[in-house]
Amino acid sequence: MIKLLLGDITQLSVDAIVNAANSSLLGGGGVDGAIHRAAGPRLLAACELLGGCEVGQAKITAGFDLPARWVIHTVGPVWRGGENGEPELLASCYRNSLQLAAENDCRSIAYPAISTGVYGYPKAPAGRIALATLKQGLESLPGMTVTLVSFCQADYRLQEALLESG
Ligand code: ADP
């Protein structure tokens, strides 16, 4: 099942939240900064042991002070016009994060709109990739609930329109 939510991903009591991290996994701005602030300093200490992460891949840590049990760190592509593998890499973020959640016995996972902030991926195509990839992944994970978290009302409306048209 796919649900939409308008709000702050750091507040969600789900099994796993996805962090739109950078490849160092050592923290950044946007949702990454918010997750590190809310999870506390033990999250950075855990991330330091992971040795970074490739674009499109995902790694897991505990959620520490978050209500979520796990944080799945994935690195979205930087938008460079769309002809540099961005769609495949973005799909890979959604797919690998979902897979990692399933491997860790999660039944609920929440995603921010990966790559659509500082990394500049246009929101509508990014949203379509998120929905298509997650729908496909959920076919083999019938017990999993996915929440797509929008951080502002305009993003929420866009997600709503995309979900209805799909
Ligand atoms: P990226 O570097 O992958 O583009 P950003 O963190 O800059 O990552 O932005 C990704 C998306 O996360 C943006 O749509 C932004 O509005 C959203 N976002 C930022 N903070 C939060 C938060 N606390 N909860 C949910 N979404 C957030």
Side-chain angles (χ1 to χ4, degrees), residues 137-159:
L138 286 173
E139 283 172 15
S140 54
L141 297 171
M144 184 79 81
T145 299
V146 173
T147 303
L148 294 177
V149 183
S150 298
F151 203 46
C152 68
Q153 204 152 43
D155 290 359
Y156 181 83
R157 288 208 191 95
L158 172 66
Q159 293 279 23

Side-chain angles (χ1 to χ4, degrees), residues 16-17 52 69 71 98 105 109:
I17 64 170
R69 192 151 124 244
V71 180
L98 188 65
D105 299 322
I109 179 172

Side-chain angles (χ1 to χ4, degrees), residues 7-10 19-22 29-35 74-77 111-121 123 149-152 155:
D8 178 355
I9 200 168
T10 67
N19 181 16
N22 60 49
V31 72
D32 194 3
I35 289 172
T74 190
V75 184
Y111 287 83
I114 300 163
S115 285
T116 68
V118 174
Y119 282 4
Y121 208 117
K123 289 183 174 180
V149 183
S150 298
F151 203 46
C152 68
D155 290 359

Side-chain angles (χ1 to χ4, degrees), residues 11-83:
Q11 304 299 307
L12 301 186
S13 297
V14 288
D15 291 330
I17 64 170
V18 175
N19 181 16
N22 60 49
S23 55
S24 75
L25 298 185
L26 299 180
V31 72
D32 194 3
I35 289 172
H36 275 273
R37 277 192 299 280
R42 289 179 296 166
L43 181 61
L44 182 58
C47 286
E48 282 169 352
L49 303 174
L50 296 177
C53 184
E54 303 278 312
V55 177
Q57 300 301 307
K59 294 191 177 180
I60 193 166
T61 65
F64 300 102
D65 297 342
L66 292 166
R69 192 151 124 244
W70 303 104
V71 180
I72 294 175
H73 307 265
T74 190
V75 184
V78 175
W79 178 258
R80 290 188 285 131
E83 306 281 311

Side-chain angles (χ1 to χ4, degrees), residues 124-137:
R128 281 187 206 102
I129 287 169
L131 283 172
T133 308
L134 291 169
K135 276 182 188 166
Q136 191 178 33

